[in-house]
């Protein structure tokens, strides 16, 4: 059974940082490309960052230069370092494999407010 458990979100001031984590089970983590997505209130879920099985990384334009995706295959965990946070980064952040599993985790909330 696939389980994706995101954590690490919180409330930060503009310019702040967080490290998001995603613990994965029930999938062949090391042989799957993985991604972070986010969904802001009233908006569709969007792709934020992707990391391949050989650590090639790609980012959506709004987060380039500020977010860093990484993975630890031994721990079956995906990370997203989010830096220089802006109000428009406020969203629930999710992880999933590529292609995405049908079952999504609950996500972790990132809020940015002064």
């Amino acid at each position: 059974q696939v389980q994706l458990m995101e954590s690490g979100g919180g409330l930060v001031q503009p310019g702040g940082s967080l490290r998001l984590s995603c613990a994965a089970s029930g999938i062949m983590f090391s042989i799957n490309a993985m991604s972070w997505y986010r969904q802001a209130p009233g908006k569709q879920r969007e792709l934020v960052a992707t990391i391949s099985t050989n650590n090639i990384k790609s980012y959506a334009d709004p987060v380039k230069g500020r977010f860093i995706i990484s993975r630890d295959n031994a721990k079956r965990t995906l990370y997203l370092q989010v830096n220089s946070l802006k109000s428009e980064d406020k969203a629930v952040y999710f992880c999933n494999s590529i292609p995405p599993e049908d079952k999504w985790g609950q996500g972790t909330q990132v809020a940015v407010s002064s």
Side-chain angles (χ1 to χ4, degrees):
Q1 184 178 359
V2 174
Q3 279 196 322
L4 300 166
M5 187 174 299
E6 301 90 350
S7 62
L11 173 63
V12 296
Q13 293 184 337
S17 298
L18 290 169
R19 190 189 195 204
L20 309 183
S21 299
C22 167
S25 61
I27 63 172
M28 300 291 284
F29 186 83
S30 63
I31 63 170
N32 275 278
M34 297 292 295
S35 286
W36 282 98
Y37 301 78
R38 66 185 180 186
Q39 187 166 18
K43 295 188 177 181
Q44 289 190 333
R45 189 173 294 167
E46 62 176 357
L47 180 65
V48 173
T50 297
I51 185 167
S52 72
T53 54
N54 56 349
N55 284 325
I56 296 173
K57 305 171 186 181
S58 62
Y59 300 93
D61 285 344
V63 308
K64 279 182 181 176
R66 300 189 297 121
F67 289 12
I68 302 171
I69 189 172
S70 62
R71 65 191 298 163
D72 185 331
N73 289 338
K75 294 182 178 179
R76 304 171 63 85
T77 301
L78 182 71
Y79 301 101
L80 187 68
Q81 178 70 37
V82 297
N83 301 317
S84 303
L85 281 164
K86 306 175 181 180
S87 58
E88 51 263 44
D89 296 318
K90 175 183 176 180
V92 179
Y93 286 71
F94 301 87
C95 67
N96 212 323
S97 59
I98 296 176
E101 295 285 337
D102 290 337
K103 184 178 179 182
W104 292 75
Q106 292 190 333
T108 187
Q109 175 78 53
V110 172
V112 183
S113 175
S114 56

